[in-house]
Amino acid sequence: MTQRENKLGTMPVGKLLISMAVPMMLSFFIQALYNIVDSMFVARLSENALTAVSLAMPMQSIMNAIGIGTGVGLSASLPRTIARKDYEHAEELSNTGIFLCLCYIVVFAILGFTFTHRFYTFQTDVSEIVEYGTSYLSIVWIVSAGAFFGAYFEKMLTSTGNASLAMISQASGAIFNIIFDPLLIFGIGPFPKMGIAGAAVATVLGQILAASLAFWFNMNRNEWVNLSLQRVFSPKKKAAKEIFAIGIPSMITMGLTSMSSFVINQIFLQYSTTATAVYGIWMKLQNFCYMPAFGMNNGMVPILSYNRGTKRYDRVWTTVRYALTVIVSLMAVLTVVLEIIPSTILTMFNASENLMAIGLIALRVSLISLIFGGTCIILTSSMQALGHARYTLIVNVLRGFVLPVVSFWLLSALFHELNFLWAAIPFADILACIISVFLFFRMKKDLSAE
């Protein structure tokens, strides 16, 4: 292991944040673009197919929550360890995380074989939705190795200053998905016509490609970690606890978001399956809009973690300020642009007259939330990277589950009118933003006293 100083502690903050965040922002943008394109192609099959994929999102998100949360735990812990030049523990962290991913893969393979059909029959008695959804979700869960290892190895790259390599691996998988989605769904050229199962196959193959590239980059281009099969199967309890201490708030956040989506879908199903499809479109669009913030987080967290380890708080606060300025500005621009073209967005999803009528109101109201949600993402990630994961957990539990679920339930109970329900989305994010700002300044006061 090299003894030289990592660039996370030496490069000027502005230049460093650009070099770390921009590649990840581009990578996440391409990934989000795939998610939208995937739904667009599925919508060409039928509205029921789009509804089936929308209902699968909460369960897919739980899988992603666990994988990404483990990666976040590594990306917050590993830079501090490297900053202290404790390279032995850095290897323990890196290899223990791989063992955890193997455990996740086994669990979700079992769920894929046993739970998916029951999950759909619990929600709807529309046989086509059940058939489509069972086929789609089973494949995604059973072949989950690419999802877990991809998220983990990409975080390993970003946490050691190799954001460009992480971008290449993640973007390669997303581009593969975009290309092969229509080929496998519709049976273009020599490819079989697989319908909605083709969308799932394209997804898992793209994930495997991304994971393979990220693994190769870590083995051959990442000088800060040393992966070995012997260490993978000799996991360290201390390393696992350290990863989970930071990663579990992220897992809970994304997991609660998945559960809230599930509950909210049940509320929408009381009105129509079309409303559920519209909510699925909004979730895809929201995810697309937040990708710059998620990319910024991936670049920002290792910088914050490393410089906290070396007590360079001037670099810490400058990084947060730059990140927040960029993301709030981007969210404002996206809000204005998308408020102008909601009908164009819905047309991309082969919207029926009913879906268009519901979706226009839904998108115009929901887009108000972007600035507040983007602010929450930056501030909560900052608190997590700086050792105040409990503050992050508070905000994320409120924003990810309590506030949206309560808001949707209350509006539905009070008005019994579908159009009023969409106000729950900006309302929940505004309240969460106010709370996150308060806790961030409380954390800053705590760190100033160290």
Side-chain angles (χ1 to χ4, degrees), residues 8-25:
L8 298 174
T10 58
M11 186 181 289
V13 170
K15 182 179 178 181
L16 176 62
L17 190 59
I18 290 173
S19 71
M20 291 287 291
V22 170
M24 295 311 302
M25 291 169 73

Side-chain angles (χ1 to χ4, degrees), residues 90-108:
E91 292 184 13
E92 292 175 352
L93 285 167
S94 302
N95 288 281
T96 297
I98 297 174
F99 176 80
L100 296 175
C101 289
L102 289 171
C103 295
Y104 306 150
I105 291 165
V106 172
V107 170
F108 277 90

Side-chain angles (χ1 to χ4, degrees), residues 118-381:
R118 190 179 307 170
F119 169 72
Y120 275 93
T121 55
F122 173 78
Q123 297 183 89
T124 180
D125 57 0
V126 180
S127 59
E128 191 176 40
I129 294 176
V130 173
E131 180 184 351
Y132 279 145
T134 301
S135 174
Y136 182 85
L137 188 58
S138 294
I139 294 170
V140 170
W141 269 4
I142 292 169
V143 192
S144 63
F148 286 118
F149 284 134
Y152 186 75
F153 289 133
E154 286 157 15
K155 288 291 192 296
M156 188 179 293
L157 290 168
T158 56
S159 65
T160 52
N162 293 288
S164 296
L165 298 179
M167 177 195 71
I168 292 170
S169 61
Q170 189 175 48
S172 297
I175 292 170
F176 179 96
N177 286 342
I178 291 171
I179 294 171
F180 277 84
D181 242 352
L183 300 180
L184 294 175
I185 291 173
F186 304 113
I188 298 173
F191 297 95
K193 184 177 180 180
M194 301 177 66
I196 198 168
V201 170
T203 295
V204 298
L205 291 178
Q207 291 169 344
I208 290 170
L209 174 62
S212 300
L213 285 172
F215 174 73
W216 189 89
F217 284 139
N218 277 295
M219 292 296 290
N220 295 279
R221 302 284 296 277
N222 193 345
E223 62 183 314
W224 300 96
V225 296
N226 183 20
L227 305 180
S228 71
L229 195 61
Q230 181 179 356
R231 283 183 175 270
V232 166
F233 289 100
S234 301
K236 301 299 181 183
K237 184 177 180 180
K238 178 182 176 183
K241 287 176 65 175
E242 193 169 340
I243 290 171
F244 283 138
I246 302 297
I248 282 178
S250 287
M251 295 181 194
I252 292 174
T253 299
M254 296 181 68
L256 285 175
T257 301
S258 301
M259 292 305 299
S260 72
S261 295
F262 176 81
V263 174
I264 292 166
N265 277 333
Q266 308 316 302
I267 295 174
F268 279 129
L269 284 170
Q270 297 174 20
Y271 295 87
S272 71
T273 56
T274 302
T276 304
V278 170
Y279 184 62
I281 292 172
W282 161 247
M283 293 301 290
K284 298 271 186 178
L285 181 63
Q286 180 191 57
N287 192 46
F288 175 81
C289 293
Y290 283 151
M291 280 302 157
F294 295 141
M296 180 64 75
N297 280 353
N298 274 257
M300 176 186 69
V301 166
I303 300 172
L304 298 181
S305 178
Y306 187 98
N307 286 283
R308 190 203 175 200
T310 57
K311 304 297 184 182
R312 290 290 308 277
Y313 286 113
D314 57 324
R315 292 173 63 83
V316 167
W317 306 130
T318 301
T319 300
V320 175
R321 186 171 67 251
Y322 285 173
L324 198 57
T325 301
V326 170
I327 293 307
V328 169
S329 301
L330 277 174
M331 292 302 106
V333 171
L334 281 170
T335 300
V336 172
V337 171
L338 295 176
E339 286 283 5
I340 298 171
I341 58 168
S343 59
T344 304
I345 295 169
L346 293 169
T347 301
M348 293 165 58
F349 292 90
N350 201 33
S352 64
E353 184 177 342
N354 188 32
L355 194 149
M356 182 69 73
I358 297 171
L360 285 174
I361 296 172
L363 293 189
R364 287 198 168 109
V365 174
S366 301
L367 285 165
I368 298 170
S369 67
L370 291 181
I371 293 175
F372 305 99
T375 301
C376 281
I377 291 170
I378 296 300
L379 293 182
T380 53
S381 293

